[in-house]
Amino acid sequence: EPEVTQTPSHQVTQMGQEVILRCVPISNHLYFYWYRQILGQKVEFLVSFYNNEISEKSEIFDDQFSVERPDGSNFTLKIRSTKLEDSAMYFCASSRNEQFFGPGTRLTVL
Amino acid sequence: GIQVEQSPPDLILQEGANSTLRCNFSDSVNNLQWFHQNPWGQLINLFYIPSGTKQNGRLSATTVATERYSLLYISSSQTTDSGVYFCAVWRWGYQKVTFGTGTKLQVIP
C-alpha cells in the first residue's frame, strides 16, 4: 500500500540554523500539507500546496518558512533561522480526498 | 476560522467497554476525518466521513454535517485503542485544515 514517507525521523539543530524537512507524498495525490505538533498539544496546520503553489497558510507560516516541490515527487519544508519554539513534530500529508500522514520528523532546536 | 471542539477531553475505560467521542465544529465543512494518534506519535487514518455513517470492525463513525457534529463509536475497547483521537475538518476550495482539541483515551486491562 502506498504511504507518505518523511526524512529525517529526528533532526537536532542549533538555534539560528536552517533546516530542510523532506517528504515524499503518495504519487497520484494532488494536495500536500505540512503540520506541526508541539509535544502534548493538538496538530496545527501550517500550509497546503496544490498545483505547484501555496493554497492556504496559517498565521504560524511566516517568512521564516517556505515550501517547495523541487522535482515533482519530493515536498520540502524549510525553516530559515530556527528558534527554540520551532521544536515540535512536523508532519507531512497528501490527499486526493482523505489525507494520509507521514510518520513525522521530530525537530529539536537547542 | 472554524473552531473544532472535541469531548470528552480525557476518558478512561475498562477493557471491553464501549465509548462515544464527539467532534463539534463551528461552521459548515465538506470534509471531515478521524485519526488515532498512537503512543508512538503516528497519526492513523480511521475514517474519512464528510457525511453519513461508516463502520470498520469495532469502530464506527457518523457525521451530521447540517448539525455540525461527528461521533466516533468504539465498541469492546482494547488496550491497543489507547492514545489520542483527533477529528479534522476543512472545506474544498479552502485547503486550510483545522484539527480538534483531541480526546485522550486510556483503556485499562
Side-chain angles (χ1 to χ4, degrees):
Chain A
E1 185 175 311
E3 58 183 17
V4 178
T5 59
Q6 290 185 244
T7 53
S9 56
H10 192 188
Q11 172 108 34
V12 181
T13 190
Q14 295 291 326
M15 192 169 56
Q17 295 296 303
E18 174 183 285
V19 295
I20 297 176
L21 310 183
R22 291 182 167 81
C23 170
V24 179
I26 295 172
S27 62
N28 64 349
H29 283 185
L30 302 175
Y31 299 93
F32 313 107
Y33 306 83
W34 282 102
Y35 298 86
R36 79 171 187 192
Q37 186 179 31
I38 295 169
L39 189 64
Q41 298 186 20
K42 71 175 186 177
V43 179
E44 297 175 290
F45 169 83
L46 291 177
V47 66
S48 57
F49 195 84
Y50 170 72
N51 204 23
N52 288 320
E53 61 184 25
I54 289 175
S55 177
E56 296 285 337
K57 57 184 181 178
S58 73
E59 305 74 33
I60 303 167
F61 194 88
D62 61 20
D63 292 344
Q64 291 287 82
F65 292 88
S66 62
V67 289
E68 267 193 338
R69 197 144 190 259
D71 56 14
S73 60
N74 292 286
F75 182 48
T76 62
L77 175 70
K78 183 192 291 186
I79 309 174
R80 288 192 183 81
S81 177
T82 49
K83 308 185 192 80
L84 294 176
E85 53 265 36
D86 293 327
S87 294
M89 181 75 90
Y90 288 81
F91 291 103
C92 170
S94 69
S95 74
R96 290 184 71 90
N97 293 310
E98 71 180 291
Q99 298 197 25
F100 292 85
F101 277 68
T105 293
R106 180 163 298 286
L107 177 65
T108 302
V109 183
L110 302 175
Chain B
I2 299 174
Q3 307 299 312
V4 183
E5 294 290 329
Q6 291 184 241
S7 59
D10 295 279
L11 186 58
I12 299 175
L13 293 178
Q14 202 77 39
E15 201 169 22
N18 303 330
S19 62
T20 301
L21 282 55
R22 188 176 181 103
C23 170
N24 290 333
F25 41 97
S26 62
D27 206 344
S28 62
V29 298
N30 41 29
N31 293 275
L32 188 145
Q33 201 162 342
W34 282 97
F35 298 90
H36 174 216
Q37 187 165 41
N38 64 23
W40 296 270
Q42 290 180 294
L43 281 163
I44 310 297
N45 286 352
L46 295 177
F47 295 101
Y48 172 70
I49 185 163
S51 64
T53 298
K54 289 187 178 179
Q55 180 153 9
N56 184 5
R58 295 181 297 103
L59 302 183
S60 64
T62 295
T63 298
V64 184
T66 52
E67 297 186 22
R68 301 182 187 167
Y69 73 89
S70 183
L71 302 173
L72 178 69
Y73 306 96
I74 305 174
S75 64
S76 305
S77 57
Q78 300 176 357
T79 55
T80 51
D81 295 332
S82 295
V84 184
Y85 290 80
F86 290 105
C87 62
V89 302
W90 68 103
R91 297 192 198 113
W92 286 124
Y94 300 94
Q95 299 299 110
K96 186 172 183 178
V97 183
T98 304
F99 271 71
T101 46
T103 292
K104 186 174 182 180
L105 173 64
Q106 186 181 357
V107 181
I108 54 178

